[in-house]
């Protein structure tokens, strides 16, 4: 779900000279910072939770260091009313692939959290089906295996007040933001639309395995995603599978920063050494 009302500032590129290739941080750009190909041999493309923003990845570059370039990804065509969701997952993923373009042709990791995990999986699957370059590893967090029902399907039946209260209860929405009614009205519409996007994924789902390794992260106390539902990702991993259970709930990267970034850093290190 959502964590921040705005995107973070761009991180300054490493080194004094301008980067060889820059993706601008325009309002509709798919990445939220410059890309410097001299920073490590691999990029980590991050897809944020439903209703959230690239602010979810604030601090990741500092935590992981210069061995990897952390690239927060903007969802293409996104608007406060969730109009981008009306094109459905296939159309949204196709737009995402088109916007990311050459970033997907160099060594990269995909990390998606909650809704971002579904988008990352569908992007990797689309590329596998078209014989295109895959991520070195698909990293997914806080999301059940894609063939399973979405855990937030019941949210569509909640009133706005009930949905806000529920989001506060499991730590998605800081209680301090409840007083900002204008921001809430905008974000509730967005989060409803993006939850609906996830809920529609299992309809007509076709089961295929990915040839790249799949690494799954989950919080031991996540009230939305069970241990069994994340373990079921193994059914989609044809190139190797690992499950990483960490202390914390749905937002364990925030609640267990040291443990999470230590585990993530261990996965990045062999790729950065190439």
């Amino acid at each position: 779900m959502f964590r921040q009302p705005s995107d973070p500032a761009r991180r300054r590129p490493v080194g004094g000279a301008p980067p060889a290739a820059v993706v601008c941080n325009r309002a509709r750009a798919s990445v939220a910072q410059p890309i410097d190909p001299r920073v490590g041999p691999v990029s980590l493309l991050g897809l944020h939770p439903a209703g959230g923003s690239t602010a979810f990845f604030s601090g990741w570059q500092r935590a992981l260091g210069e061995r990897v370039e952390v690239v927060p990804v903007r969802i293409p065509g996104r608007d406060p009313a969730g109009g981008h969701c009306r094109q459905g997952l296939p159309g949204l993923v196709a737009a995402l692939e088109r916007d990311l373009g050459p970033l997907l042709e160099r060594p990269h990791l995909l990390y998606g959290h909650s809704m971002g995990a579904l988008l990352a999986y569908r992007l990797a699957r689309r590329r596998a089906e078209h014989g295109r370059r895959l991520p070195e590893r698909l990293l997914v967090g806080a999301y059940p295996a894609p063939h399973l029902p979405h855990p937030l399907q019941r949210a569509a039946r909640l009133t706005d007040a009930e949905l806000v209260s529920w989001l506060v209860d499991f730590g998605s929405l800081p209680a301090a933001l409840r007083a900002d009614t204008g921001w809430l009205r905008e974000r509730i519409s967005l989060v409803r639309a993006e939850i609906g996007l996830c809920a529609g994924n299992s309809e007509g789902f076709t089961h295929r395995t990915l040839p790249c390794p799949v690494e799954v992260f989950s919080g031991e106390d996540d009230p939305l995603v069970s241990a069994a539902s994340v373990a079921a990702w193994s059914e989609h991993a044809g190139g190797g599978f690992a499950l990483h259970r960490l202390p914390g709930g749905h937002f364990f990267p925030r609640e267990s920063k040291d443990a999470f970034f230590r585990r993530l850093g261990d996965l990045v290190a062999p790729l950065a050494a190439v």
Side-chain angles (χ1 to χ4, degrees), residues 73-89:
V73 177
R74 300 185 192 280
I75 296 175
R78 200 170 186 232
D79 64 77
H84 60 294
C85 296
R86 286 192 282 274
Q87 65 182 306
L89 270 173

Side-chain angles (χ1 to χ4, degrees), residues 39-61:
V39 182
V42 64
S43 300
L44 189 155
L45 309 181
L47 292 156
H48 60 72
S53 73
T54 55
F56 182 84
F57 297 98
S58 178
W60 283 42
Q61 186 69 67

Side-chain angles (χ1 to χ4, degrees), residues 4 13 50 72 114-115 144 163 165 186 204-205 219 225 230 236 238 247 257 264:
Q4 300 285 350
S114 197
M115 176 193 73
L163 181 55
S165 178
E186 175 182 297
F205 184 86
V225 184
V230 290
H236 303 270
K257 289 181 180 178
L264 190 56

Side-chain angles (χ1 to χ4, degrees), residues 58-270:
S58 178
W60 283 42
Q61 186 69 67
R62 182 170 58 254
L64 293 172
E66 295 179 7
R67 54 193 164 178
V68 64
E69 178 81 351
V70 177
V71 184
V73 177
R74 300 185 192 280
I75 296 175
R78 200 170 186 232
D79 64 77
H84 60 294
C85 296
R86 286 192 282 274
Q87 65 182 306
L89 270 173
L92 185 57
V93 170
L96 186 62
E97 181 182 33
R98 182 178 62 249
D99 286 359
L100 290 173
L103 291 177
L104 297 173
E105 300 303 332
R106 58 178 298 213
H108 67 280
L109 301 153
L110 279 177
Y111 180 90
H113 196 88
S114 197
M115 176 193 73
L118 176 61
L119 293 177
Y121 163 75
R122 292 292 293 254
L123 177 58
R125 177 169 153 167
R126 173 184 169 87
R127 291 181 65 79
E129 290 170 351
H130 290 88
R132 296 168 186 155
R133 180 170 194 148
L134 295 177
E136 307 301 309
R137 294 177 185 273
L138 175 66
L139 313 173
V140 292
Y143 202 84
H147 63 281
L148 299 176
H150 187 265
L152 294 182
Q153 284 181 331
R154 74 182 187 90
R157 300 191 297 271
L158 300 178
T159 66
D160 285 358
E162 290 170 337
L163 181 55
V164 168
S165 178
W166 188 50
L167 294 172
V168 169
D169 287 344
F170 78 82
S172 174
L173 177 64
L177 291 179
R178 299 176 76 172
D180 190 342
T181 55
W183 185 85
L184 277 177
R185 192 178 307 112
E186 175 182 297
R187 286 286 155 164
I188 289 297
S189 297
L190 178 62
V191 78
R192 281 191 188 281
E194 293 187 338
I195 287 174
L197 187 76
C198 296
N201 171 67
S202 58
E203 298 174 5
F205 184 86
T206 53
H207 209 112
R208 296 191 183 97
T209 59
L210 289 171
C212 61
V214 178
E215 307 270 350
V216 180
F217 295 80
S218 69
E220 294 171 348
D221 301 315
D222 191 334
L224 296 177
V225 184
S226 69
S229 69
V230 290
W233 274 96
S234 62
E235 299 178 30
H236 303 270
F241 172 78
L243 175 59
H244 308 276
R245 297 277 284 164
L246 297 168
H250 198 66
F251 295 99
F252 54 84
R254 182 190 73 230
E255 299 163 11
S256 301
K257 289 181 180 178
D258 290 345
F260 173 70
F261 287 115
R262 185 165 54 249
R263 198 74 57 88
L264 190 56
D266 288 344
L267 295 177
V268 167

